[in-house]
């Protein structure tokens, strides 16, 4: 580990442990009486450019607040801009020749070590992740685990990353294809998976021989600073991965337009993704977009209702509904509608809200005040369009919840497919129940939105299940499982307004982070004209 990173983190860890002890909250956050300025001094995070901790040249910073307790300041971060993006791109460009020359199996050894160190620090990282983002601790551990899984998977690809060797038309001639890195890749990530999403992008990118500039979301930039420390400790050369914090306009947009960045990998809203795609189109820049979803779970009349109920609760209210794969619609066969709905309302009303670091909590807060207002707006719209609210429908209060951005898990029924709560991504703990008469109707309703990320069907009918796999317009279909729960060895991504055709995870992600080159070797010693000469 580099000295400055070591002293920075060690100093912080000692200080934080001391403060935690003083506060008497064990692993809970720093809660001693200090002014906001004092807290900022103690939790100053930095950009990491060429392995150095740097400030924004403007000197400006922004704060990262715990969404479960807005009196808890997680830290302050540089509000970076063009100068920092330029410096990070220069660092990544300087690191590129050495890194891409390192054989892929050697790169894999470093990434494998990254996975091992992350596994050792899993709990520490997960605690910070929950504190800055709010998801319950079990899910935060899963978020980190996904990063570890990706590290091991990507490291193994260092000995694969297959090209093709194929027969050719002429004698004494060989044909094969190889992958070449793109160069400097820019990564722009959202706040809802502060570890999993950056690692999905970074690990395959560097395994393929690229170097990276990463901009995390301003609502959750702390977790990824721990990843940068792990990368350094694992021996990743300086400049291969650079971190620049700041807003979408001041940092993200500058990255998208930067001529030194050859590819942009973006995960976030469809609106921002569309803007980025337009810019990249003009610049002939490669771009991968993972965007919004309006995922649905179908419950057929022959489904195991207990199983379907557990799936619906987990899919709709895990991460307080703030997953791109969240179950935002439940499409239920009329024959089981009443039985299913009654039990769902009862179970939903019993979900425990609170600080995600409390292991007994089911549902954490929304990420910020604006997101809670947005969710409240969709709920009002649902009511005004004639849907019936079955439970929830308001900010949660009392029992310490007033300090955070909590919203009660909310269910609507009597929802028609064209209502806005059945069409638009809400990104909160709100689910719409739609009634159908048949599998055909269920699939038509499911397909009837502009999104296409995840989907699920609960049925015991194997024919129906295969029909759904074939006909559902989505990047992912689960049979007898909820809409959430992707694993890293299968492609991840969506169709329609959710994606632009690329996939993350699995070996398919290497198609984004590499350029194919076809190689022909003619060892006949004479001119052989393809498609013309006959042998
Ligand atoms: P967002 O689009 O507001 O922001 C995403 C990132 O883009 C952030 O880092 C932000 O700072 C940056 N950004 C904003 N404006 C920009 C601009 N003009 N140029 C460049 N960068 C810019 O999204 P969010 O609120 O952080 O995340 C929630 C959204 O992400 C939801 O729509 C969710 O469905 C989606 N999401 C999709 C997936 C997926 O894999 N499909 C996964 C997670 C989240």
């Amino acid at each position: 580990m580099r000295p400055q990173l070591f002293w920075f983190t060690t100093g912080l860890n000692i200080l934080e442990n001391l403060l935690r002890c003083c506060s008497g909250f064990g692993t809970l956050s720093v809660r001693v009486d200090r002014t906001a300025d004092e807290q900022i001094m103690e939790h100053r995070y930095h950009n990491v450019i060429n392995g150095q901790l740097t400030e924004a040249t403007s000197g400006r910073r922004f704060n990262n607040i715990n969404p479960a307790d807005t009196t808890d300041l997680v830290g302050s971060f540089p509000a970076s801009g063009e100068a920092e993006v330029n410096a990070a791109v220069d660092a990544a460009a300087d690191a590129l020749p050495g890194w891409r020359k390192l054989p892929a199996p050697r790169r894999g050894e470093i990434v494998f070590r990254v996975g091992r160190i992350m596994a050792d620090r899993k709990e520490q990282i997960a605690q910070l992740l929950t504190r800055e983002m709010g998801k319950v601790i079990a899910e935060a551990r899963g978020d980190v685990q996904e990063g570890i899984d990706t590290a091991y998977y990507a490291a193994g690809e260092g000995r694969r990353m297959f090209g093709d060797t194929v027969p050719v038309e002429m004698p004494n001639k060989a044909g094969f294809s190889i992958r070449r890195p793109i160069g400097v890749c820019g990564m722009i990530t959202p706040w809802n998976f502060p570890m999993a999403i950056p690692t999905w992008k970074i690990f395959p990118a560097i395994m393929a021989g690229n170097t990276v500039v990463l901009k995390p979301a301003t609502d959750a930039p702390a977790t990824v600073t721990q990843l940068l420390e792990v990368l350094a400790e694992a021996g990743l050369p300086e400049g291969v991965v650079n971190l620049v914090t700041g807003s979408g306009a001041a940092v993200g947009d500058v990255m998208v337009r930067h001529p030194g960045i050859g590819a942009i990998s973006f995960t976030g809203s469809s609106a921002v993704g569309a803007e980025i795609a337009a810019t990249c189109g003009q610049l002939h820049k490669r771009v991968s977009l993972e965007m919004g979803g309006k995922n649905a779970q179908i419950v057929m009349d022959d489904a195991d209702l207990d199983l379907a109920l557990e799936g619906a609760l987990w899919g709709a209210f895990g991460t307080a509904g703030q997953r791109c794969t969240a179950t935002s619609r439940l499409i239920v066969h009329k024959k089981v509608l009443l039985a299913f709905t009654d039990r769902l309302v009862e179970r939903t009303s019993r979900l425990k809200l609170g600080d995600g670091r409390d292991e007994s909590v089911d549902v954490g807060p929304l990420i910020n005040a604006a997101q809670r207002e947005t969710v409240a707006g969709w709920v009002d719209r649902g009511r005004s369009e004639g849907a019936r609210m079955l439970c929830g429908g308001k900010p949660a209060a009392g029992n310490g919840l007033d300090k955070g951005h909590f919203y009660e898990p909310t269910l609507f029924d009597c929802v028609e497919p064209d209502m806005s709560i059945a069409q638009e991504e809400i990104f909160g703990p709100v689910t719409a129940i739609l009634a159908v008469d048949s599998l055909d109707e269920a699939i038509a309703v499911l397909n009837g939105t502009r999104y296409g990320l995840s989907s699920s069907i609960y049925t015991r009918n194997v024919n129906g299940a295969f029909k759904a796999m074939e006909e559902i317009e989505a990047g992912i279909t689960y049979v007898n499982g909820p809409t959430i729960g992707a694993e890293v060895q299968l492609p991840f991504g969506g169709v329609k307004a959710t994606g632009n055709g690329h996939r993350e995870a699995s070996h398919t992600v290497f198609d984004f982070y590499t350029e194919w080159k076809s190689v022909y070797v003619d060892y006949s010693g004479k001119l052989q004209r393809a498609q013309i000469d006959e042998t």
Side-chain angles (χ1 to χ4, degrees):
M1 188 178 193
R2 288 174 208 112
Q4 64 270 44
L5 274 179
F6 175 79
W7 290 115
F8 171 74
T9 51
T10 308
L12 273 190
N13 289 344
I14 292 170
L15 185 62
E16 191 156 333
N17 285 338
L18 276 173
L19 289 167
R20 280 177 180 152
C21 292
C22 297
S23 70
F25 276 88
T27 54
L28 284 187
S29 64
V30 181
R31 287 171 194 270
V32 293
D33 289 326
R34 288 170 298 138
T35 66
D37 281 351
E38 283 167 343
Q39 290 187 32
I40 290 169
M41 289 308 291
E42 287 155 9
H43 295 274
R44 287 176 75 87
Y45 290 86
H46 294 86
N47 292 324
V48 183
I49 298 176
N50 204 23
Q52 309 301 308
L53 301 177
T54 68
E55 286 288 346
T57 43
S58 69
R60 286 181 29 247
R61 297 193 139 253
F62 65 91
N63 288 341
N64 177 17
I65 308 285
N66 179 347
D69 176 358
T70 53
T71 65
D72 176 24
L73 179 69
V74 178
S76 83
F77 291 78
S80 310
E82 192 170 356
E84 289 69 47
V85 173
N86 289 341
V89 175
D90 288 349
D94 288 347
L96 186 64
W99 180 246
R100 64 180 293 182
K101 274 284 174 204
L102 191 69
R106 299 281 92 79
R107 296 199 291 261
E109 285 163 17
I110 295 175
V111 173
F112 188 83
R113 276 202 296 279
V114 169
R116 276 219 311 250
I117 301 170
M118 284 177 72
D120 290 343
R121 305 227 179 115
K122 182 172 166 181
E123 188 59 27
Q124 174 193 329
I125 300 172
Q127 291 288 341
L128 177 62
L129 195 158
T130 289
R131 184 173 161 215
E132 79 163 340
M133 185 272 157
K135 66 173 67 173
V136 299
I137 188 68
E139 291 185 54
R141 291 181 189 122
D143 198 323
V144 182
Q145 185 59 46
E146 208 162 317
I148 298 166
D149 296 345
T150 303
Y152 292 153
Y153 185 90
E157 282 295 307
R159 291 187 183 272
R160 288 165 40 100
M161 260 192 276
F162 296 144
D164 294 323
T165 303
V166 294
V168 295
E169 295 168 7
M170 306 288 180
N172 299 319
K173 191 176 171 190
F176 56 92
S177 57
I178 58 171
R179 293 173 181 272
R180 301 181 71 246
I182 292 166
V184 178
C185 297
M187 292 160 186
I188 301 173
T189 56
W191 45 264
N192 66 336
F193 279 87
M195 183 57 92
I197 292 179
T199 55
W200 280 1
K201 297 181 189 300
I202 292 172
F203 296 161
I206 62 176
M207 276 311 306
N210 300 288
T211 55
V212 168
V213 176
L214 169 73
K215 187 207 94 64
T218 46
D219 277 311
T223 303
V224 90
T225 62
Q226 302 222 344
L227 175 63
L228 269 284
E229 289 170 17
V230 171
L231 292 171
E233 207 172 317
L236 190 77
E238 290 175 353
V240 173
V241 176
N242 304 276
L243 171 70
V244 181
T245 60
S247 71
V251 176
D253 187 52
V254 175
M255 286 168 61
V256 170
R257 294 171 194 280
H258 198 296
I261 291 184
I264 291 286
S265 178
F266 168 82
T267 301
S269 60
S270 294
V272 172
E275 277 176 39
I276 290 176
T279 308
C280 287
Q282 281 175 342
L283 298 173
H284 306 294
K285 191 173 284 196
R286 179 179 284 227
V287 60
S288 165
L289 305 170
E290 296 293 346
M291 300 171 285
K294 189 67 185 175
N295 317 289
Q297 172 181 318
I298 295 174
V299 182
M300 290 304 296
D301 50 346
D302 59 6
D304 176 337
L305 280 196
D306 292 333
L307 202 59
L309 183 72
E310 296 304 328
L313 283 164
W314 177 229
F317 304 121
T319 324
Q322 301 169 112
R323 287 195 187 215
C324 48
T325 52
T327 311
S328 197
R329 296 176 293 158
L330 292 162
I331 301 171
V332 185
H333 197 287
K334 281 181 186 159
K335 284 188 187 157
V336 292
L337 183 64
L338 264 184
F340 181 77
T341 305
D342 284 352
R343 292 168 64 190
L344 186 62
V345 172
E346 193 266 323
R347 289 286 300 278
T348 303
S349 312
R350 281 201 281 126
L351 291 172
K352 180 176 172 186
L353 276 67
D355 187 323
R357 287 168 294 175
D358 173 347
E359 303 267 359
S360 68
V361 162
D362 299 306
V363 181
L366 296 175
I367 188 68
N368 54 37
Q371 186 60 22
R372 190 164 71 170
E373 271 175 38
T374 302
V375 170
W378 285 117
V379 169
D380 287 346
R381 201 134 165 213
R383 277 198 200 104
S384 68
E385 286 179 4
R388 180 173 61 170
M389 208 174 62
L390 298 171
C391 61
K394 57 182 188 307
N399 296 326
L401 298 178
D402 311 83
K403 278 183 167 180
H405 308 297
F406 293 94
Y407 198 87
E408 289 185 356
T410 303
L411 285 172
F412 279 105
D413 74 350
C414 304
V415 178
E416 295 302 326
D418 59 351
M419 288 181 181
S420 46
I421 56 166
Q423 288 292 326
E424 300 301 332
E425 183 178 51
I426 296 176
F427 230 54
V430 180
T431 284
I433 301 173
L434 296 101
V436 291
D437 280 307
S438 66
L439 180 59
D440 282 334
E441 188 185 355
I443 293 173
V445 169
L446 189 149
N447 287 343
T449 75
R450 66 193 179 108
Y451 296 108
L453 182 53
S454 188
S455 57
S456 138
I457 178 165
Y458 282 79
T459 180
R460 290 187 172 106
N461 179 335
V462 68
N463 296 355
F466 271 90
K467 181 183 168 77
M469 285 175 231
E470 252 177 60
E471 294 186 8
I472 285 175
E473 295 164 359
I476 307 168
T477 295
Y478 294 89
V479 177
N480 294 327
T483 60
I484 65 180
E487 298 183 27
V488 305
Q489 62 278 16
L490 283 172
F492 183 94
V495 303
K496 301 198 280 191
T498 296
N500 67 336
H502 294 289
R503 290 290 182 270
E504 302 210 89
S506 87
H507 63 88
T508 53
V509 71
F510 289 93
D511 287 339
F512 180 72
Y513 289 114
T514 55
E515 296 277 12
W516 281 111
K517 172 178 275 190
S518 299
V519 180
Y520 299 89
V521 181
D522 191 325
Y523 52 97
S524 69
K526 60 180 182 182
L527 174 66
Q528 300 195 89
R529 298 175 302 173
Q531 292 93 39
I532 296 171
D533 292 339
E534 300 209 354
T535 56

